[in-house]
């Protein structure tokens, strides 16, 4: 289980988060046959980072901003 991933503000908008998530999903699928992803996020400035997760096919589960997504759909949306 990975508890947290983040990119320092000065390195954002460079594809780092996308690359991290792609590689984590690929590793999880290969090593553990993962098909579903889940996590928690928050609604910050400009709806980020929640808006980013929503763009890559995660769906809000409830008011706590719990998110989940199909591993293959999320991976495909990152390409």
């Amino acid at each position: 289980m990975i508890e947290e991933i983040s990119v320092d503000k000065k390195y954002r908008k460079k594809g780092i988060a996308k690359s991290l998530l792609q590689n984590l999903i690929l590793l999880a699928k290969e090593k553990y046959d993962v098909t579903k992803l889940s996590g928690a996020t928050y609604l910050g400035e400009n709806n980020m980072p929640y808006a980013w997760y929503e763009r890559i096919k995660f769906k809000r589960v409830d008011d706590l901003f719990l998110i989940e997504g199909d591993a293959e759909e999320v991976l495909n949306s990152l390409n």
Side-chain angles (χ1 to χ4, degrees):
M1 180 169 108
I2 295 172
E3 293 194 24
E4 182 175 342
I5 60 169
S6 64
V7 176
D8 189 280
K9 285 184 181 182
K10 63 185 170 193
Y11 297 106
R12 291 181 184 162
K13 304 288 184 184
K14 299 180 186 305
I16 296 170
K18 177 181 173 178
S19 181
L20 279 170
L21 193 54
Q22 282 176 316
N23 285 293
L24 289 170
I25 293 170
L26 288 170
L27 180 64
K29 287 179 63 158
E30 178 184 312
K31 192 167 183 174
Y32 302 107
D33 198 29
V34 166
T35 59
K36 288 285 183 185
L37 307 167
S38 63
T41 189
Y42 62 95
L43 189 59
E45 186 178 320
N46 298 321
N47 291 331
M48 295 301 279
Y50 173 73
W52 183 77
Y53 286 109
E54 192 173 47
R55 260 194 329 273
I56 61 168
K57 306 297 182 195
F58 279 94
K59 295 169 184 62
R60 186 171 170 182
V61 175
D62 61 26
D63 289 339
L64 296 174
F65 290 98
L66 298 175
I67 55 175
E68 71 178 14
D70 178 82
E72 196 65 32
E73 283 183 10
V74 172
L75 189 59
N76 288 336
S77 74
L78 289 165
N79 290 324

